[in-house]
């Protein structure tokens, strides 16, 4: 069995301003701290999987600025292979993030170098993709690149996990190439062309079925502090709860989940068990600040789960 994870996606520097609440349009609020963290959905998922001990390679683009050095270092320190990541004549991707006292966030992403990842890069890295036990991608790189990747992985029989974030409608052809679709509630509503809101349990079940009908093989709805809901090709329907923790920063919780879920599958866990494990990894990530620095190692996860099980004993 092929054991490597290949991530095709974005690499950003996150510029994070914390304040008691996120400003409304036209409003200025006083912030309490400003920090920078390595981020980007692709890079975060790669780091999440590598910290859990998997071999991970990322295919993406960095700019020719000082940020690019820190961003590559962060990936490599986590053990991610960055050989296929080229520097291009542009700024590195950046994300302007506001976080509030409850750990919620609002993000503006400026893609910069990420927008240079093209279908040609997919073809040029076909050998790398053939080594993958699973390929992870998201929507912070050009949609034509994601579509080209998806038709490549489908043709070659390589499992593909698509995190449809940031939210946007997707073509039926793309959805039909996806083995694991992992939207949050907002992304689910946008994919289905429905009004954005919190979904009740029956609405979640209906939404997951509607996404399956659009052609993707398996759907995992990510539901923040409620955990996740699985709707699988074999008919399994299962809600998996998250652990209750004190939330510091939810940025990249979804990325922690995707990286961990892929590791779970490649380690031989079944999808439900992989989702339980990924929920634990993602929950631990929300107890820490920042995107990549919040991803736990396998040892940290073990300690967390042990503490949780001791805490839950009567
Ligand atoms: P993001 O865009 O912030 O990276 P997301 O919106 O894609 O995340 P979420 O559903 O918010 O995804 O989070 C993914 C997973 O993280 C959840 O399924 C859950 O397991 C865990 N999680 C998120 N928020 C919390 C929380 N407040 N408490 C416990 N677990 C959480
Ligand atoms: O998913 C979280 C990520 O989204 C952040 O790290 C930020 O870079 C944005 O891309």
């Amino acid at each position: 069995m092929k054991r490597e994870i290949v991530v095709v996606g974005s690499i950003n520097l996150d510029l994070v301003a914390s304040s008691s609440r996120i400003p409304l349009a036209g409003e200025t609020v006083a912030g309490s701290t400003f920090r920078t963290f390595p981020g980007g959905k692709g890079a975060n998922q790669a780091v999440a999987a590598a910290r859990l001990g998997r071999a991970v390679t990322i295919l993406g683009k960095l700019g020719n600025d000082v940020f690019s050095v820190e961003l590559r270092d962060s990936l490599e320190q986590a053990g991610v292979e960055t050989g296929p990541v080229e520097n291009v004549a542009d700024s590195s991707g950046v994300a302007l993030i506001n976080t509030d006292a409850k750990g919620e966030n609002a993000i503006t992403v400026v893609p910069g170098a990420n927008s240079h990842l093209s279908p040609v890069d997919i073809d040029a890295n076909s050998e790398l993709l053939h080594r993958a036990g699973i390929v992870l991608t998201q929507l912070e790189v050009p949609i034509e690149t994601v579509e080209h990747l998806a038709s490549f992985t489908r043709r070659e029989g390589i499992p593909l996990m698509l995190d449809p974030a940031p939210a946007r409608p997707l073509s039926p052809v793309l959805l039909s190439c996806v083995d694991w679709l992992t939207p949050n509630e907002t992304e689910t509503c946008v994919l289905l062309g429905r009004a954005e809101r919190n979904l009740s349990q029956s609405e979640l079940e209906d939404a997951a079925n509607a996404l399956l009908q659009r052609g993707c093989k398996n759907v995992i709805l990510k539901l923040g502090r409620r955990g996740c809901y699985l709707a699988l090709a074999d008919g399994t329907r299962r809600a998996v709860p998250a652990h209750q923790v004190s939330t510091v920063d939810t940025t990249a919780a979804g990325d922690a989940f995707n990286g961990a879920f892929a590791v779970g599958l490649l380690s031989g866990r079944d999808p439900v068990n992989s989702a339980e494990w990924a929920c634990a990894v993602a929950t631990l990530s929300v107890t820490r600040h920042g995107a990549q620095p919040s991803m736990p190692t396998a040892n940290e996860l073990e300690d967390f789960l042990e503490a949780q099980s001791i805490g839950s004993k009567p």
Side-chain angles (χ1 to χ4, degrees):
M1 188 187 182
K2 292 188 282 184
R3 301 256 166 226
E4 190 170 346
I5 292 176
V6 175
V7 178
V8 178
S10 57
I11 310 168
N12 297 332
L13 189 74
D14 294 353
L15 310 175
V16 185
S18 306
S19 46
S20 57
R21 63 186 179 78
I22 293 165
L24 303 171
E27 188 189 23
T28 302
V29 298
S32 50
T33 59
F34 172 75
R35 282 181 270 199
T36 63
F37 298 105
K41 293 184 190 304
N44 297 343
Q45 293 181 14
V47 166
R51 288 243 171 90
L52 294 169
R54 264 296 132 185
V56 184
T57 301
I58 185 165
L59 170 59
K61 300 281 184 192
L62 284 165
N64 56 0
D65 47 16
V66 287
F67 294 169
S68 67
V69 178
E70 179 185 343
L71 292 171
R72 193 183 287 272
D73 276 358
S74 175
L75 286 160
E76 288 178 354
Q77 274 169 28
V80 178
E81 170 57 52
T82 66
V85 177
E86 290 172 349
N87 292 76
V88 297
D90 202 337
S91 54
S92 295
V94 290
L96 310 180
I97 304 182
N98 288 290
T99 62
D100 70 12
K102 292 187 221 138
E104 298 300 332
N105 61 56
I107 304 181
T108 304
V109 180
V110 184
N114 296 306
S115 64
H116 295 255
L117 190 71
S118 77
V120 172
D121 295 302
I122 303 302
D123 295 337
N125 285 279
S126 59
E127 216 173 280
L128 166 69
L129 293 164
H130 276 123
R131 292 204 305 269
I134 189 164
V135 172
L136 274 54
T137 195
Q138 320 77 28
L139 300 177
E140 287 185 338
V141 294
I143 190 68
E144 58 273 19
T145 306
V146 174
E147 288 174 342
H148 191 75
L149 171 69
S151 60
F152 176 90
T153 52
R154 171 46 49 103
R155 198 170 56 243
E156 302 300 322
I158 304 162
L160 179 70
M161 184 185 303
L162 172 62
D163 192 12
R168 55 161 290 160
L170 296 175
S171 74
V173 176
L174 173 54
L175 288 174
S176 72
C177 295
V178 175
D179 295 277
W180 299 97
L181 186 74
T182 62
N184 65 14
E185 276 177 292
T186 305
E187 291 141 14
T188 299
C189 293
V190 171
L191 285 171
L192 294 172
R194 297 179 183 173
E196 287 176 43
R197 63 204 164 87
N198 288 339
L199 302 172
S200 67
Q201 186 58 36
S202 66
E203 288 171 328
L204 287 172
E205 291 166 19
D206 170 68
N209 285 329
L211 287 172
L212 288 176
Q213 275 162 16
R214 304 226 170 165
C216 48
K217 205 163 165 195
N218 302 284
V219 172
I220 304 179
L221 304 183
K222 292 185 285 190
L223 307 171
R225 63 178 69 247
R226 286 190 287 160
C228 67
Y229 178 75
L230 278 76
L232 307 183
D234 66 3
T236 301
R237 300 289 181 272
R238 184 75 67 88
V240 173
H243 299 257
Q244 298 306 307
V245 290
S246 148
T247 306
V248 169
D249 180 2
T250 59
T251 308
D255 300 327
F257 183 97
N258 281 46
F261 185 74
V263 173
L265 290 180
L266 287 195
S267 309
R269 293 171 188 261
D270 66 38
V272 172
N273 189 235
S274 295
E276 289 166 345
W277 197 64
C279 272
V281 172
T283 297
L284 185 45
S285 81
V286 308
T287 65
R288 300 161 169 191
H289 287 285
Q292 287 167 37
S294 73
M295 304 301 173
T297 63
N299 285 344
E300 289 167 341
L301 180 66
E302 216 172 280
D303 290 347
F304 170 72
L305 288 172
E306 202 178 305
Q308 291 275 310
S309 84
I310 291 167
S312 67
K313 281 187 184 140

